[in-house]
Amino acid sequence: MAEECIFCKIVRKEVPSQPIYEDHDLIAFPDLHPVAPVHILVVPKEHMQNLNDAGKNDVGILGKMLRLSAKIANEKGVAETGYRVVINNGEDGGQVVPHLHLHLIGGKSLAHQLG
Ligand code: 5GP
Ligand code: ZN
């Protein structure tokens, strides 16, 4: 847990987020500034800055993040139409919040858009 990290604060319920899923390891909630009709953040509860911090012991969590994304995509009705999962890492990757998170984005065509 990082004291001042916004996503750690969401995990601790110090900042509201309207979670759509939560378990021992993960929390998922809508992005504050959605870029598509479906834009959900899937966040490990344990603070890691980004994939650079993920070690051998985190392989399970990373897999759970992907599996949960597919489950939420299904629940949100975009599994068939398609969706994108994105993890921004570091400055050039466009990462703004320094707590590992996955963006699940769907509900509109993202074809031919990367970056
Ligand atoms: P990044 O660029 O770091 O991959 O994405 C961070 C995302 O977190 C952004 O899309 C931003 O809108 C979202 N975000 C930042 N602060 C909050 C917050 O307090 N609540 C929610 N729900 N989303 C946030
Ligand atoms: Zn954090």
Side-chain angles (χ1 to χ4, degrees):
M1 287 287 171
E3 201 59 39
E4 291 307 316
C5 169
I6 184 72
F7 286 176
C8 283
K9 286 183 177 176
I10 285 174
V11 168
R12 293 196 298 263
K13 306 283 194 285
E14 293 168 14
V15 168
S17 72
Q18 297 180 311
I20 61 163
Y21 178 88
E22 185 166 10
D23 66 19
H24 182 261
D25 298 316
L26 300 178
I27 186 167
F29 49 86
D31 195 292
L32 198 56
H33 302 294
V35 299
V38 175
H39 188 170
I40 303 294
L41 299 174
V42 176
V43 180
K45 288 187 168 178
E46 185 192 339
H47 183 89
M48 276 179 260
Q49 186 156 335
N50 57 39
L51 283 177
N52 298 337
D53 279 356
K56 239 181 175 175
N57 291 342
D58 300 311
V59 166
I61 283 281
L62 297 175
K64 280 189 73 173
M65 289 170 72
L66 291 175
R67 292 254 303 158
L68 179 59
S69 301
K71 182 169 176 277
I72 294 172
N74 188 45
E75 286 167 5
K76 294 288 180 187
V78 299
E80 296 304 323
T81 48
Y83 56 93
R84 183 170 288 172
V85 295
V86 175
I87 298 177
N88 296 325
N89 290 275
E91 197 177 339
D92 282 358
Q95 183 177 16
V96 174
V97 175
H99 179 131
L100 179 68
H101 55 280
L102 173 158
H103 297 255
L104 163 60
I105 302 166
K108 73 172 189 184
S109 176
L110 300 164
H112 312 301
Q113 285 181 40
L114 191 59

